[in-house]
Amino acid sequence: MSGLKNSPFGKRLRAAHDDRAAARPPPTPPTAAPDYGDRFVPSRDAGNMRTSYHLMDDSGPSTPAKTRLIPSESDALREQANAIFTSILHSEVTPPSPRRAVSPTRPVASTSAVPPSTPTRRRLFAYSSPASVPSTPTRRLDTPTDEAYSMSPVRPESRHLLESPRRSLRSVSKTPYRVLDAPELADDFYLNLVDWSSTNVLAVGLASCVYLWTAHNAVVSKLCDLADHNDTVSSVSWVQRGTTLAVGTLSGRMHIYDAATLSLQRTYTAAHAQRIGALAWNAHVLSSGSRDRSVHHRDVREPAQRPFRRCAGHRQEVCGLKWSADAGPAAATLASGGNDNKVCIWDLRGSRRPPPRPPTSSSAGTASSGDDAPGDAPLWKFHEHTAAVKALAWDPHVSGVLATGGGTQDKHIRFWNTINGTMLNELDTGSQVCNLIWSLTSHELVSTHGFSSTTAQNQICIWKYPALSMVASLTGHTNRVLYLAMSPDGETIVTGAGDETLRFWNAFPKRESAERGRESRLDYGKLIR
């Protein structure tokens, strides 16, 4: 056997076996399966908890605007609870760094010390305190209110936040208190067919007729029927104070009615070349916007048919008009919105800015009508919207603030300072903005919505300004909420939609008794005419 091992054949066989053994990888020792306990305690030694907390993205994942949902319920309570939770989480997870006691330090010798000299006959060692002795650190356990003795699971700062009084949130009824049928109410975004007068009478345009609904007794009256003229109502608007109602039609006619007597006062047979979709009063001045892209101003006290002022600043149909105040045509400004995605601010006294230069492109400058009188050029022109602007509302609480809403491709509510021509804020609603109106009793804004790229649509939303937080969201309409009006007391709103219904909502609280009592009969300034 030993001879075979030492023979040439055995040596070659042994060498081949050694080569195969060298090429084979070494066996891996079996690893034991990890033994997990009943709980996992992470190690946070490698990171800074305070730094990690502040690096968190508070805004959440960024999503495109078209996927944003309008909440179906009021988010006020949820937002308040989230704010409190965030504050407590910040206080508990990242508490303030404790103040460490400062060790007593040896006073630094002054550079202007007296040079050493031979000591005189006096005591070399005396018990005396230095001039500046650091304060002795207090013993925190001697304080009875120290957090070490607290039975609460949270810190004193969090406990104080939880026990502090919170702002009371008002509740808004989610169901309308009255629903009226409105057959043949047009489902057209560019029309304005509902308006509420100062005498508490609601005017509604249905096809060729205008009906009046008296709120205090629910009596319905038929004001007019334009079927004899083969015409259709396209807009209605009450004068600020009184019983005068203006009616615009698809053919471009404009009628003035006295609702108290149900009689026709005047007719402008050729008010515009095309349909009149927007009307706005300012005392005795009636402004009308049409598909012919112009805005006309008429004094209803004069019998003349021609307007005393024409304004042309839009390149497409004018679908929204709103005067800023009831101070008269000599002091108020007019806002107009058009299908060209533009918002124009007009001043009938004439522009307070230098006249614009001739336009060099389709987006610069404004058009001019036949008259060259001052006021034909807009005072300001805003280009930020990307869809038709029908919704316009002047803030009754802050002078010069205008809210505008864009259509399906825009979905934004924007707030403007018309004094200096700047945008104050904007809000992405996620849905087509059809109407806007400010509350008279609180600083809140109502918006009605239509088409949306999401499941949330056809809603009435109430927003708190300037926080832009949602107070309530009202649902019930099955089509776009195209029409909106407010009662004269400012407590009720009425909405109309393509589902041919009018719904009445208790949206705002009553005025405070203190505010009602502010108007005194001894204020002789209000008696001066």
Side-chain angles (χ1 to χ4, degrees), residues 376-432:
D376 294 339
L379 180 63
W380 302 104
K381 193 170 186 178
F382 304 127
H383 306 261
E384 279 71 13
H385 283 288
T386 58
V389 182
K390 173 192 175 185
L392 302 168
W394 291 92
D395 191 344
H397 308 282
V398 182
S399 177
V401 174
L402 173 68
T404 60
T408 308
Q409 300 300 323
D410 186 74
K411 305 182 180 68
H412 280 73
I413 300 176
R414 290 181 170 87
F415 301 87
W416 310 91
N417 183 343
T418 59
I419 298 177
N420 54 20
T422 59
M423 185 172 68
L424 301 175
N425 208 338
E426 62 179 352
L427 172 66
D428 183 6
T429 65
S431 184
Q432 177 188 31

Short mmCIF file of all heavy atoms in Angstrom, two decimals, residues 376-432:
data_model
loop_
_atom_site.label_atom_id
_atom_site.label_comp_id
_atom_site.label_asym_id
_atom_site.label_seq_id
_atom_site.Cartn_x
_atom_site.Cartn_y
_atom_site.Cartn_z
N ASP A 376 -61.99 104.64 -19.37
CA ASP A 376 -62.13 103.55 -20.30
C ASP A 376 -61.03 102.51 -20.12
O ASP A 376 -61.22 101.36 -20.48
CB ASP A 376 -62.09 104.08 -21.74
CG ASP A 376 -63.30 104.96 -22.04
OD1 ASP A 376 -64.30 104.82 -21.33
OD2 ASP A 376 -63.23 105.79 -22.96
N ALA A 377 -59.88 102.90 -19.64
CA ALA A 377 -58.80 101.97 -19.35
C ALA A 377 -58.92 101.50 -17.91
O ALA A 377 -59.21 102.29 -17.01
CB ALA A 377 -57.44 102.63 -19.58
N PRO A 378 -58.74 100.21 -17.65
CA PRO A 378 -58.88 99.73 -16.27
C PRO A 378 -57.78 100.26 -15.37
O PRO A 378 -56.64 100.50 -15.81
CB PRO A 378 -58.79 98.21 -16.42
CG PRO A 378 -58.05 97.98 -17.69
CD PRO A 378 -58.43 99.13 -18.58
N LEU A 379 -58.13 100.45 -14.13
CA LEU A 379 -57.15 100.90 -13.14
C LEU A 379 -56.13 99.81 -12.88
O LEU A 379 -54.93 100.07 -12.81
CB LEU A 379 -57.88 101.28 -11.85
CG LEU A 379 -57.02 101.78 -10.70
CD1 LEU A 379 -56.31 103.06 -11.06
CD2 LEU A 379 -57.88 101.97 -9.45
N TRP A 380 -56.58 98.58 -12.73
CA TRP A 380 -55.70 97.43 -12.58
C TRP A 380 -56.25 96.29 -13.44
O TRP A 380 -57.46 96.21 -13.68
CB TRP A 380 -55.61 96.94 -11.13
CG TRP A 380 -55.14 97.96 -10.15
CD1 TRP A 380 -55.89 98.65 -9.25
CD2 TRP A 380 -53.80 98.41 -9.96
NE1 TRP A 380 -55.11 99.50 -8.51
CE2 TRP A 380 -53.81 99.37 -8.93
CE3 TRP A 380 -52.58 98.08 -10.56
CZ2 TRP A 380 -52.67 100.01 -8.49
CZ3 TRP A 380 -51.43 98.73 -10.12
CH2 TRP A 380 -51.48 99.67 -9.10
N LYS A 381 -55.35 95.42 -13.86
CA LYS A 381 -55.74 94.24 -14.61
C LYS A 381 -54.91 93.07 -14.12
O LYS A 381 -53.68 93.10 -14.19
CB LYS A 381 -55.53 94.46 -16.12
CG LYS A 381 -56.21 93.41 -16.99
CD LYS A 381 -56.16 93.81 -18.46
CE LYS A 381 -56.97 92.84 -19.33
NZ LYS A 381 -56.96 93.25 -20.75
N PHE A 382 -55.59 92.03 -13.61
CA PHE A 382 -54.91 90.89 -13.01
C PHE A 382 -54.98 89.70 -13.97
O PHE A 382 -56.04 89.37 -14.50
CB PHE A 382 -55.55 90.52 -11.67
CG PHE A 382 -55.59 91.67 -10.69
CD1 PHE A 382 -56.78 92.05 -10.09
CD2 PHE A 382 -54.44 92.38 -10.38
CE1 PHE A 382 -56.82 93.11 -9.20
CE2 PHE A 382 -54.47 93.44 -9.49
CZ PHE A 382 -55.66 93.80 -8.90
N HIS A 383 -53.83 89.03 -14.15
CA HIS A 383 -53.70 87.97 -15.15
C HIS A 383 -53.44 86.60 -14.53
O HIS A 383 -53.14 85.66 -15.26
CB HIS A 383 -52.55 88.28 -16.13
CG HIS A 383 -52.65 89.62 -16.78
ND1 HIS A 383 -53.15 89.80 -18.05
CD2 HIS A 383 -52.32 90.86 -16.34
CE1 HIS A 383 -53.12 91.09 -18.37
NE2 HIS A 383 -52.62 91.75 -17.34
N GLU A 384 -53.52 86.47 -13.21
CA GLU A 384 -53.08 85.23 -12.57
C GLU A 384 -54.04 84.06 -12.76
O GLU A 384 -53.62 82.91 -12.67
CB GLU A 384 -52.87 85.47 -11.07
CG GLU A 384 -51.54 86.11 -10.72
CD GLU A 384 -51.45 87.57 -11.13
OE1 GLU A 384 -52.51 88.16 -11.47
OE2 GLU A 384 -50.36 88.13 -11.12
N HIS A 385 -55.32 84.31 -12.98
CA HIS A 385 -56.26 83.20 -13.14
C HIS A 385 -56.02 82.50 -14.47
O HIS A 385 -55.60 83.11 -15.46
CB HIS A 385 -57.69 83.70 -13.07
CG HIS A 385 -58.16 84.00 -11.68
ND1 HIS A 385 -58.43 83.02 -10.76
CD2 HIS A 385 -58.38 85.18 -11.04
CE1 HIS A 385 -58.82 83.56 -9.62
NE2 HIS A 385 -58.80 84.87 -9.76
N THR A 386 -56.32 81.19 -14.50
CA THR A 386 -56.14 80.38 -15.71
C THR A 386 -57.47 79.84 -16.23
O THR A 386 -57.48 78.91 -17.04
CB THR A 386 -55.19 79.21 -15.41
OG1 THR A 386 -55.73 78.42 -14.34
CG2 THR A 386 -53.81 79.71 -15.04
N ALA A 387 -58.59 80.39 -15.78
CA ALA A 387 -59.91 80.00 -16.27
C ALA A 387 -60.83 81.20 -16.11
O ALA A 387 -60.46 82.24 -15.54
CB ALA A 387 -60.44 78.78 -15.52
N ALA A 388 -62.04 81.06 -16.62
CA ALA A 388 -63.01 82.15 -16.57
C ALA A 388 -63.27 82.59 -15.13
O ALA A 388 -63.35 81.78 -14.21
CB ALA A 388 -64.32 81.72 -17.22
N VAL A 389 -63.41 83.91 -14.95
CA VAL A 389 -63.61 84.49 -13.62
C VAL A 389 -65.03 85.05 -13.57
O VAL A 389 -65.31 86.12 -14.13
CB VAL A 389 -62.58 85.58 -13.31
CG1 VAL A 389 -62.78 86.12 -11.91
CG2 VAL A 389 -61.16 85.04 -13.48
N LYS A 390 -65.91 84.32 -12.92
CA LYS A 390 -67.27 84.80 -12.69
C LYS A 390 -67.48 85.26 -11.25
O LYS A 390 -68.21 86.21 -10.99
CB LYS A 390 -68.27 83.69 -13.01
CG LYS A 390 -69.71 84.02 -12.66
CD LYS A 390 -70.62 82.81 -12.73
CE LYS A 390 -72.01 83.13 -12.26
NZ LYS A 390 -72.88 81.92 -12.22
N ALA A 391 -66.83 84.58 -10.30
CA ALA A 391 -67.03 84.84 -8.88
C ALA A 391 -66.22 86.06 -8.45
O ALA A 391 -64.98 86.07 -8.55
CB ALA A 391 -66.62 83.62 -8.05
N LEU A 392 -66.91 87.10 -7.99
CA LEU A 392 -66.28 88.33 -7.50
C LEU A 392 -66.97 88.74 -6.21
O LEU A 392 -68.20 88.65 -6.11
CB LEU A 392 -66.40 89.45 -8.53
CG LEU A 392 -65.81 89.21 -9.93
CD1 LEU A 392 -66.27 90.31 -10.88
CD2 LEU A 392 -64.29 89.17 -9.87
N ALA A 393 -66.20 89.21 -5.23
CA ALA A 393 -66.79 89.64 -3.96
C ALA A 393 -65.85 90.62 -3.28
O ALA A 393 -64.66 90.31 -3.07
CB ALA A 393 -67.07 88.45 -3.04
N TRP A 394 -66.38 91.80 -2.92
CA TRP A 394 -65.63 92.81 -2.18
C TRP A 394 -65.79 92.57 -0.69
O TRP A 394 -66.89 92.31 -0.21
CB TRP A 394 -66.10 94.21 -2.54
CG TRP A 394 -65.78 94.64 -3.93
CD1 TRP A 394 -66.56 94.51 -5.04
CD2 TRP A 394 -64.58 95.29 -4.37
NE1 TRP A 394 -65.93 95.03 -6.15
CE2 TRP A 394 -64.71 95.51 -5.77
CE3 TRP A 394 -63.42 95.70 -3.74
CZ2 TRP A 394 -63.71 96.13 -6.51
CZ3 TRP A 394 -62.43 96.32 -4.48
CH2 TRP A 394 -62.58 96.53 -5.85
N ASP A 395 -64.70 92.68 0.04
CA ASP A 395 -64.72 92.47 1.49
C ASP A 395 -65.41 93.65 2.15
O ASP A 395 -64.94 94.79 2.04
CB ASP A 395 -63.29 92.33 2.01
CG ASP A 395 -63.24 91.85 3.45
OD1 ASP A 395 -64.29 91.92 4.14
OD2 ASP A 395 -62.17 91.42 3.89
N PRO A 396 -66.54 93.44 2.86
CA PRO A 396 -67.21 94.57 3.53
C PRO A 396 -66.52 95.01 4.81
O PRO A 396 -66.87 96.06 5.35
CB PRO A 396 -68.61 94.00 3.82
CG PRO A 396 -68.39 92.55 3.98
CD PRO A 396 -67.28 92.18 3.04
N HIS A 397 -65.54 94.24 5.29
CA HIS A 397 -64.88 94.55 6.55
C HIS A 397 -63.54 95.27 6.35
O HIS A 397 -63.10 95.99 7.25
CB HIS A 397 -64.65 93.27 7.36
CG HIS A 397 -65.90 92.45 7.54
ND1 HIS A 397 -66.88 92.76 8.45
CD2 HIS A 397 -66.32 91.33 6.90
CE1 HIS A 397 -67.85 91.86 8.38
NE2 HIS A 397 -67.54 90.99 7.44
N VAL A 398 -62.88 95.04 5.22
CA VAL A 398 -61.58 95.65 4.92
C VAL A 398 -61.69 96.36 3.58
O VAL A 398 -62.04 95.74 2.57
CB VAL A 398 -60.45 94.60 4.90
CG1 VAL A 398 -59.12 95.27 4.63
CG2 VAL A 398 -60.41 93.82 6.20
N SER A 399 -61.38 97.63 3.56
CA SER A 399 -61.51 98.41 2.35
C SER A 399 -60.45 98.00 1.33
O SER A 399 -59.28 97.81 1.66
CB SER A 399 -61.36 99.90 2.67
OG SER A 399 -61.41 100.68 1.49
N GLY A 400 -60.89 97.87 0.07
CA GLY A 400 -59.96 97.61 -1.02
C GLY A 400 -59.57 96.16 -1.21
O GLY A 400 -58.71 95.88 -2.04
N VAL A 401 -60.19 95.22 -0.49
CA VAL A 401 -59.85 93.80 -0.63
C VAL A 401 -60.91 93.13 -1.50
O VAL A 401 -62.11 93.22 -1.21
CB VAL A 401 -59.76 93.11 0.74
CG1 VAL A 401 -59.54 91.61 0.58
CG2 VAL A 401 -58.62 93.71 1.56
N LEU A 402 -60.47 92.46 -2.55
CA LEU A 402 -61.35 91.79 -3.50
C LEU A 402 -61.01 90.31 -3.56
O LEU A 402 -59.83 89.94 -3.63
CB LEU A 402 -61.20 92.41 -4.90
CG LEU A 402 -61.94 91.72 -6.05
CD1 LEU A 402 -63.44 91.87 -5.89
CD2 LEU A 402 -61.47 92.27 -7.39
N ALA A 403 -62.04 89.46 -3.52
CA ALA A 403 -61.87 88.01 -3.68
C ALA A 403 -62.40 87.61 -5.05
O ALA A 403 -63.49 88.02 -5.45
CB ALA A 403 -62.59 87.25 -2.59
N THR A 404 -61.63 86.80 -5.78
CA THR A 404 -62.01 86.33 -7.12
C THR A 404 -61.82 84.83 -7.19
O THR A 404 -60.90 84.28 -6.57
CB THR A 404 -61.17 87.02 -8.21
OG1 THR A 404 -59.78 86.70 -8.01
CG2 THR A 404 -61.35 88.52 -8.17
N GLY A 405 -62.69 84.16 -7.96
CA GLY A 405 -62.61 82.71 -8.10
C GLY A 405 -62.55 82.30 -9.56
O GLY A 405 -63.27 82.85 -10.40
N GLY A 406 -61.71 81.31 -9.85
CA GLY A 406 -61.53 80.84 -11.21
C GLY A 406 -62.34 79.60 -11.51
O GLY A 406 -62.83 78.91 -10.61
N GLY A 407 -62.46 79.27 -12.79
CA GLY A 407 -63.28 78.17 -13.24
C GLY A 407 -62.60 76.82 -13.12
O GLY A 407 -61.72 76.61 -12.28
N THR A 408 -63.00 75.89 -14.01
CA THR A 408 -62.60 74.50 -13.87
C THR A 408 -61.09 74.31 -13.98
O THR A 408 -60.51 73.50 -13.24
CB THR A 408 -63.30 73.65 -14.96
OG1 THR A 408 -64.71 73.91 -14.90
CG2 THR A 408 -63.04 72.18 -14.75
N GLN A 409 -60.44 75.02 -14.87
CA GLN A 409 -59.00 74.85 -15.05
C GLN A 409 -58.18 75.60 -14.02
O GLN A 409 -56.96 75.44 -13.97
CB GLN A 409 -58.60 75.31 -16.47
CG GLN A 409 -59.28 74.55 -17.58
CD GLN A 409 -58.99 73.06 -17.54
OE1 GLN A 409 -57.88 72.64 -17.21
NE2 GLN A 409 -59.98 72.24 -17.86
N ASP A 410 -58.80 76.41 -13.20
CA ASP A 410 -58.06 77.22 -12.22
C ASP A 410 -58.27 76.72 -10.80
O ASP A 410 -57.32 76.44 -10.09
CB ASP A 410 -58.50 78.68 -12.35
CG ASP A 410 -57.67 79.61 -11.47
OD1 ASP A 410 -56.52 79.87 -11.83
OD2 ASP A 410 -58.18 80.05 -10.43
N LYS A 411 -59.53 76.68 -10.35
CA LYS A 411 -59.91 76.13 -9.04
C LYS A 411 -59.35 76.95 -7.87
O LYS A 411 -59.32 76.47 -6.74
CB LYS A 411 -59.45 74.67 -8.89
CG LYS A 411 -59.93 73.72 -9.96
CD LYS A 411 -59.45 72.31 -9.66
CE LYS A 411 -59.90 71.32 -10.72
NZ LYS A 411 -59.23 71.58 -12.02
N HIS A 412 -58.92 78.16 -8.09
CA HIS A 412 -58.31 78.97 -7.04
C HIS A 412 -59.20 80.15 -6.66
O HIS A 412 -59.90 80.72 -7.51
CB HIS A 412 -56.94 79.50 -7.47
CG HIS A 412 -55.84 78.49 -7.36
ND1 HIS A 412 -55.72 77.44 -8.23
CD2 HIS A 412 -54.81 78.38 -6.47
CE1 HIS A 412 -54.64 76.73 -7.89
NE2 HIS A 412 -54.09 77.28 -6.83
N ILE A 413 -59.15 80.50 -5.38
CA ILE A 413 -59.70 81.76 -4.89
C ILE A 413 -58.51 82.65 -4.58
O ILE A 413 -57.63 82.27 -3.80
CB ILE A 413 -60.57 81.56 -3.65
CG1 ILE A 413 -61.76 80.64 -3.95
CG2 ILE A 413 -61.07 82.90 -3.13
CD1 ILE A 413 -62.59 80.32 -2.72
N ARG A 414 -58.49 83.84 -5.18
CA ARG A 414 -57.38 84.75 -4.96
C ARG A 414 -57.90 86.05 -4.34
O ARG A 414 -59.01 86.50 -4.65
CB ARG A 414 -56.65 85.05 -6.28
CG ARG A 414 -55.87 83.84 -6.80
CD ARG A 414 -55.12 84.16 -8.09
NE ARG A 414 -54.20 83.09 -8.44
CZ ARG A 414 -54.51 82.02 -9.14
NH1 ARG A 414 -55.74 81.87 -9.60
NH2 ARG A 414 -53.61 81.09 -9.41
N PHE A 415 -57.07 86.63 -3.49
CA PHE A 415 -57.42 87.84 -2.76
C PHE A 415 -56.47 88.96 -3.19
O PHE A 415 -55.24 88.77 -3.21
CB PHE A 415 -57.33 87.61 -1.24
CG PHE A 415 -58.23 86.49 -0.76
CD1 PHE A 415 -57.79 85.18 -0.75
CD2 PHE A 415 -59.51 86.77 -0.32
CE1 PHE A 415 -58.61 84.15 -0.31
CE2 PHE A 415 -60.35 85.76 0.12
CZ PHE A 415 -59.89 84.44 0.12
N TRP A 416 -57.06 90.11 -3.51
CA TRP A 416 -56.29 91.22 -4.09
C TRP A 416 -56.44 92.48 -3.24
O TRP A 416 -57.49 92.73 -2.66
CB TRP A 416 -56.78 91.53 -5.51
CG TRP A 416 -56.89 90.34 -6.40
CD1 TRP A 416 -58.00 89.55 -6.57
CD2 TRP A 416 -55.88 89.78 -7.23
NE1 TRP A 416 -57.73 88.54 -7.46
CE2 TRP A 416 -56.43 88.65 -7.88
CE3 TRP A 416 -54.55 90.12 -7.48
CZ2 TRP A 416 -55.71 87.87 -8.77
CZ3 TRP A 416 -53.83 89.33 -8.37
CH2 TRP A 416 -54.41 88.24 -9.00
N ASN A 417 -55.36 93.24 -3.21
CA ASN A 417 -55.39 94.58 -2.66
C ASN A 417 -55.49 95.53 -3.85
O ASN A 417 -54.52 95.77 -4.57
CB ASN A 417 -54.12 94.86 -1.84
CG ASN A 417 -54.13 96.22 -1.18
OD1 ASN A 417 -54.91 97.10 -1.54
ND2 ASN A 417 -53.26 96.42 -0.20
N THR A 418 -56.68 96.07 -4.06
CA THR A 418 -56.90 96.91 -5.23
C THR A 418 -56.37 98.33 -5.04
O THR A 418 -56.43 99.12 -5.98
CB THR A 418 -58.41 96.98 -5.55
OG1 THR A 418 -59.12 97.51 -4.42
CG2 THR A 418 -58.95 95.60 -5.87
N ILE A 419 -55.86 98.63 -3.86
CA ILE A 419 -55.28 99.96 -3.65
C ILE A 419 -53.89 100.04 -4.28
O ILE A 419 -53.54 101.03 -4.93
CB ILE A 419 -55.22 100.28 -2.15
CG1 ILE A 419 -56.65 100.30 -1.58
CG2 ILE A 419 -54.52 101.61 -1.90
CD1 ILE A 419 -56.70 100.54 -0.08
N ASN A 420 -53.09 98.97 -4.10
CA ASN A 420 -51.76 98.97 -4.71
C ASN A 420 -51.60 97.90 -5.79
O ASN A 420 -50.50 97.75 -6.34
CB ASN A 420 -50.68 98.77 -3.63
CG ASN A 420 -50.92 97.54 -2.78
OD1 ASN A 420 -51.65 96.64 -3.18
ND2 ASN A 420 -50.32 97.50 -1.61
N GLY A 421 -52.67 97.14 -6.08
CA GLY A 421 -52.62 96.19 -7.18
C GLY A 421 -51.80 94.95 -6.93
O GLY A 421 -51.17 94.44 -7.87
N THR A 422 -51.80 94.43 -5.71
CA THR A 422 -51.02 93.24 -5.38
C THR A 422 -51.94 92.11 -4.93
O THR A 422 -53.05 92.36 -4.44
CB THR A 422 -50.00 93.54 -4.26
OG1 THR A 422 -50.70 94.00 -3.10
CG2 THR A 422 -49.01 94.59 -4.72
N MET A 423 -51.46 90.88 -5.08
CA MET A 423 -52.21 89.72 -4.63
C MET A 423 -51.83 89.42 -3.18
O MET A 423 -50.66 89.27 -2.85
CB MET A 423 -51.92 88.50 -5.51
CG MET A 423 -52.78 87.30 -5.16
SD MET A 423 -52.63 85.92 -6.33
CE MET A 423 -50.95 85.42 -6.01
N LEU A 424 -52.83 89.32 -2.31
CA LEU A 424 -52.59 89.10 -0.89
C LEU A 424 -52.42 87.62 -0.57
O LEU A 424 -51.54 87.25 0.22
CB LEU A 424 -53.75 89.66 -0.07
CG LEU A 424 -54.03 91.16 -0.23
CD1 LEU A 424 -55.27 91.56 0.54
CD2 LEU A 424 -52.82 91.97 0.23
N ASN A 425 -53.23 86.77 -1.16
CA ASN A 425 -53.19 85.35 -0.83
C ASN A 425 -53.96 84.58 -1.90
O ASN A 425 -54.66 85.18 -2.72
CB ASN A 425 -53.79 85.09 0.56
CG ASN A 425 -53.19 83.87 1.22
OD1 ASN A 425 -52.65 82.98 0.56
ND2 ASN A 425 -53.29 83.80 2.55
N GLU A 426 -53.84 83.27 -1.87
CA GLU A 426 -54.59 82.42 -2.79
C GLU A 426 -54.90 81.10 -2.10
O GLU A 426 -54.18 80.67 -1.18
CB GLU A 426 -53.83 82.19 -4.09
CG GLU A 426 -52.50 81.48 -3.93
CD GLU A 426 -51.80 81.26 -5.26
OE1 GLU A 426 -52.41 81.51 -6.32
OE2 GLU A 426 -50.64 80.82 -5.24
N LEU A 427 -55.98 80.47 -2.53
CA LEU A 427 -56.45 79.23 -1.93
C LEU A 427 -56.85 78.27 -3.03
O LEU A 427 -57.67 78.60 -3.90
CB LEU A 427 -57.65 79.50 -1.01
CG LEU A 427 -58.39 78.30 -0.43
CD1 LEU A 427 -57.48 77.52 0.52
CD2 LEU A 427 -59.66 78.74 0.28
N ASP A 428 -56.27 77.08 -3.02
CA ASP A 428 -56.61 76.04 -3.99
C ASP A 428 -57.78 75.24 -3.42
O ASP A 428 -57.65 74.52 -2.44
CB ASP A 428 -55.40 75.13 -4.22
CG ASP A 428 -55.68 74.07 -5.29
OD1 ASP A 428 -56.76 74.13 -5.91
OD2 ASP A 428 -54.83 73.19 -5.49
N THR A 429 -58.96 75.36 -4.05
CA THR A 429 -60.15 74.69 -3.56
C THR A 429 -60.33 73.30 -4.15
O THR A 429 -61.12 72.52 -3.63
CB THR A 429 -61.40 75.53 -3.89
OG1 THR A 429 -61.55 75.60 -5.31
CG2 THR A 429 -61.26 76.93 -3.31
N GLY A 430 -59.63 72.97 -5.22
CA GLY A 430 -59.76 71.66 -5.83
C GLY A 430 -61.00 71.50 -6.68
O GLY A 430 -61.27 70.38 -7.13
N SER A 431 -61.76 72.57 -6.92
CA SER A 431 -63.00 72.45 -7.68
C SER A 431 -63.31 73.80 -8.32
O SER A 431 -62.80 74.84 -7.91
CB SER A 431 -64.15 72.01 -6.77
OG SER A 431 -65.32 71.81 -7.52
N GLN A 432 -64.14 73.76 -9.33
CA GLN A 432 -64.57 74.98 -10.03
C GLN A 432 -65.26 75.93 -9.06
O GLN A 432 -66.16 75.55 -8.33
CB GLN A 432 -65.52 74.60 -11.16
CG GLN A 432 -66.09 75.76 -11.95
CD GLN A 432 -67.18 75.31 -12.91
OE1 GLN A 432 -67.89 74.35 -12.66
NE2 GLN A 432 -67.30 76.00 -14.03
#
